[in-house]
Amino acid sequence: MNGRPAAGRGRVAVRPRSAVAALVAAAALGLATGRFVLPTPPGSTAAGGASQGASAPATPGGSGPTPASSAAGSGSASPTGATAATAATGLATAANLLDPAAFGPDLDPGRIHVADRYGDGFYANAACTGEKTLTQALGGPGAHFRGLTTSTRTTPEDPTLALDHADQVAREVVADTPSPARARNFADRLLLEEVPCQETPPGHWVYGRPATLQLGPDVTASWMGMYQGSLNTEGRAPEGKEPCGGIAVLRNGTHYGVLEVDACLGTAAMDRVVRAALSQL
């Protein structure tokens, strides 16, 4: 299956303490070069793997719709010439989650339904992420989950997931930590989970290089656009093409989160939505 899977159905394992430093170092290198490399586990010779999923409302492995609000290229943005955002502190709440208004004018906010829950659960559903839950990834307590959909028909086990994936606009997971340093560590590890999705067999969907937004010293996000299988001819994201949605890892002070955008948004729209989510976090 070349389509991207239903959003938010993956699980994540707690890394051994000895691996944390290597993960953080790899993340720093990746942010600088635009491509991440997972450290090779002891006793193994390779790391990585392919994943599968689908961008709503795109056709799995097909051409799909034209991305909304496109802009060529991706890179980084910093708070140049403006007051840096103040980093968040304290407990994360549902107020830190993205609102439907962030998707206008590309989508009609009035058609977007919101469903919230608190607890553990899958935050991604691609083989490259290991199909893990947030607790399996980080070992922490529960998190706030929000599903944004164009239908009220959701899965029985999780109201944040649309029953028909074509109705899923986005899904966000946010939580808090005792310190900005811990939030940075968690965000680096969550971003590294997505790295194997940057290289997949031709014809399979693939993530592009990460773009970074920086609104303050501890207010930053990295997002990767999703490219459908019809654009993947060399096993990696095509240059000069627009993404169709994507995934972002967010960090604001002691808060952190993951945002999957399933709506087919191009670079400019993704940048705007991720920026809104980071400001809200």
Side-chain angles (χ1 to χ4, degrees):
M1 176 178 176
N2 288 336
R4 199 172 163 198
R9 297 183 189 177
R11 298 189 174 260
V12 181
V14 180
R15 304 273 191 242
R17 183 180 296 271
S18 60
V20 171
L23 287 167
V24 174
L29 176 62
L31 289 171
T33 63
R35 181 168 294 276
F36 294 83
V37 178
L38 285 172
T40 303
S44 65
T45 58
S51 65
Q52 55 187 18
S55 174
T59 301
S63 58
T66 302
S69 296
S70 300
S74 63
S76 61
S78 58
T80 303
T83 302
T86 301
T89 59
L91 298 178
T93 71
N96 298 117
L97 292 159
L98 197 63
D99 294 321
F103 291 90
D106 304 292
L107 300 174
D108 179 6
R111 296 184 59 242
I112 299 176
H113 303 275
V114 173
D116 291 342
R117 72 175 181 83
Y118 180 85
D120 189 24
F122 305 122
Y123 69 91
N125 187 31
C128 61
T129 67
E131 299 182 327
K132 308 163 185 175
T133 67
L134 196 65
T135 296
Q136 287 176 315
L138 304 173
H144 296 273
F145 288 73
R146 171 166 292 178
L148 299 105
T149 66
T150 56
S151 171
T152 57
R153 298 173 65 243
T154 58
T155 63
E157 66 275 10
D158 190 340
T160 68
L161 293 171
L163 190 62
D164 183 346
H165 184 62
D167 296 327
Q168 193 85 36
V169 174
R171 189 163 179 265
E172 188 177 10
V173 183
V174 304
D176 52 75
T177 67
S179 68
R182 178 68 62 84
R184 183 184 307 113
N185 175 270
F186 281 3
D188 287 343
R189 289 161 62 181
L190 290 171
L191 188 60
L192 283 169
E193 294 286 347
E194 309 297 333
V195 171
C197 301
Q198 289 182 304
E199 295 184 1
T200 63
H204 194 286
W205 74 267
V206 66
Y207 281 148
R209 291 182 296 178
T212 300
L213 294 174
Q214 179 113 27
L215 304 185
D218 282 307
V219 186
T220 185
S222 293
W223 68 269
M224 295 182 284
M226 197 283 288
Y227 296 83
Q228 298 172 43
S230 59
L231 297 177
N232 177 11
T233 59
E234 298 180 355
R236 60 181 61 89
E239 296 292 340
K241 300 293 184 179
E242 281 296 309
C244 186
I247 191 166
V249 176
L250 318 165
R251 177 172 62 86
N252 187 338
T254 60
H255 299 174
Y256 68 97
V258 177
L259 171 66
E260 287 186 284
V261 177
D262 300 284
C264 195
L265 302 185
T267 302
M270 280 293 297
D271 183 272
R272 187 181 66 253
V273 169
V274 172
R275 188 180 296 271
L278 181 58
S279 299
Q280 191 78 5
L281 182 66

